[in-house]
Amino acid sequence: MQKSLVIVVTGTSRGIGKGITNVLLQQTLDRPLVVYATSRSGANTEGEVANPNIIEYHKLDITDPASISSFFKRVRMGHGAADVLINNAAVSNDYRENPEYAAQTIRNNYVGTRDMCKAFLAQPDLRFGARIVNITSGLNGVSTYGTELQQKFRKASMIADIDDLATKYIEDTSSGPECQEAAGWGAKARSYKVSKALINTLTVVLAQQNPKVMINSCCPGWVDTEMGRQGQGRPPKTPEQGAQTAVRCAIGDLGPGGDKDGALGQDSDEVSGKFYENESIVVVGWGKSKLWLET
């Protein structure tokens, strides 16, 4: 049997993160899966585990660089290096949006994801063909921003460019809703969508900088979770259904061969810097790829 495939998933105590770990652990592939299920609490969610897969629960605060460093040291001691990173941990403060909560959302969602990616890519034994999967949203296309911001998103070529966009959003939001809208970010609560737009841009930039790693983002759709229920109506998708696109991006065929059923555990086309989503947020499926910067 081949060496285990080591997968790190963040934000697994509930919702889509829990759904992702459940779907992963139920797979029976030609190599065992070792899934590190992480959250601030390190909660054991007691999912079903198909033999010979293994799950390990760990505490991890993605907003704390020391916590990230300590976690990856633990992975290195146990398995040498993680093969796949699924960045799922996120918060939404849209229901109570103000400048302070907007800044918190950006720090948690974008900065935390950025720092997790940096730590993963810095692993000494990172293998060729390793993968990063960033969970984002399809409801924040580049075209939803002002013309000047669209150009900045599309021209970003370094992480520093994305950091500047994040800082600018926080500054504009702190100056009041009129300033936020006039600057091209859109009206009302926008921090969750902006954080995901920053992560989509990060995905593209990191893919360009790291050609030996497959780095993609995906949208789970409208899922019946605590966050998903913040909107109007009842979300139609279960966490496991919402997890399908992320699981495909983690262990499936990223080319057209995975569009129908994910082709989990099979050989994959080398695809990086793409955004995967289904035809709509209510459709269940494994997603299809597109370039987010063209949306």
Side-chain angles (χ1 to χ4, degrees):
M1 184 176 291
Q2 296 187 45
K3 181 179 179 294
S4 299
L5 188 71
V6 180
I7 304 174
V8 175
V9 189
T10 66
T12 62
S13 62
R14 60 186 179 184
I16 294 170
K18 182 178 179 181
I20 290 171
T21 59
N22 287 342
V23 175
L24 285 170
L25 291 166
Q26 291 166 12
Q27 304 306 312
T28 304
L29 307 180
D30 62 356
R31 59 192 301 192
L33 303 181
V34 176
V35 177
Y36 281 85
T38 72
S39 62
R40 282 193 174 97
S41 66
N44 182 334
T45 57
E46 300 180 349
E48 295 184 12
V49 182
N51 189 49
N53 299 332
I54 298 172
I55 186 167
E56 297 189 19
Y57 296 96
H58 291 277
K59 291 184 178 181
L60 172 63
D61 181 354
I62 68 169
T63 67
D64 181 358
S67 179
I68 293 174
S69 176
S70 176
F71 171 74
F72 276 100
K73 286 180 181 177
R74 180 171 294 182
V75 174
R76 191 156 58 248
M77 290 175 61
H79 297 281
D83 300 297
V84 180
L85 169 63
I86 304 177
N87 285 308
N88 166 74
V91 298
S92 174
N93 289 309
D94 285 0
Y95 67 98
R96 56 180 180 180
E97 185 98 312
N98 63 29
E100 180 180 351
Y101 282 122
Q104 180 193 81
T105 300
I106 299 299
R107 286 194 299 268
N108 187 99
N109 297 3
Y110 166 64
V111 177
T113 295
R114 180 201 68 189
D115 290 349
M116 284 295 295
C117 289
K118 286 183 175 180
F120 178 85
L121 292 167
Q123 294 179 109
D125 300 322
L126 187 67
R127 68 174 176 85
F128 180 87
R131 303 189 191 190
I132 293 176
V133 185
N134 294 323
I135 310 301
T136 62
S137 170
L139 297 179
N140 61 346
V142 181
S143 60
T144 65
Y145 298 92
T147 302
E148 184 177 345
L149 286 177
Q150 289 184 37
Q151 293 176 350
K152 290 182 177 180
F153 275 117
R154 293 191 172 100
K155 290 182 177 180
S157 61
M158 300 183 296
I159 292 177
D161 297 330
I162 313 170
D163 290 347
D164 288 345
L165 279 165
T167 299
K168 182 68 164 56
Y169 172 72
I170 292 172
E171 291 174 348
D172 290 338
T173 302
S174 298
S175 298
E178 295 82 6
C179 181
Q180 172 187 308
E181 187 171 7
W185 297 106
K188 300 182 180 179
R190 292 287 296 179
S191 62
Y192 181 80
K193 291 181 179 179
V194 170
S195 73
K196 295 301 186 177
L198 295 169
I199 294 171
N200 279 333
T201 310
L202 176 71
T203 301
V204 175
V205 170
L206 289 179
Q208 294 169 346
Q209 295 177 343
N210 300 274
K212 295 182 180 180
V213 181
M214 292 187 282
I215 305 173
N216 297 286
S217 59
C218 66
C219 176
W222 193 21
V223 181
D224 191 10
T225 64
E226 183 177 320
M227 188 180 298
R229 290 190 291 271
Q230 287 183 15
Q232 295 182 345
R234 184 69 179 240
K237 300 172 70 171
T238 67
E240 285 72 24
Q241 290 172 332
Q244 288 181 336
T245 308
V247 171
R248 175 203 177 169
C249 289
I251 62 171
D253 182 0
L254 297 173
D259 288 351
K260 183 177 180 180
D261 61 4
L264 305 186
Q266 299 181 27
D267 291 339
S268 174
D269 290 355
E270 293 184 12
V271 179
S272 196
K274 294 296 184 69
F275 173 69
Y276 287 76
E277 66 176 349
N278 292 305
E279 294 177 2
S280 77
I281 60 174
V282 300
V283 169
V284 176
W286 300 89
K288 294 183 179 180
S289 68
K290 64 175 65 174
L291 185 61
W292 180 77
L293 292 173
E294 295 179 353
T295 60

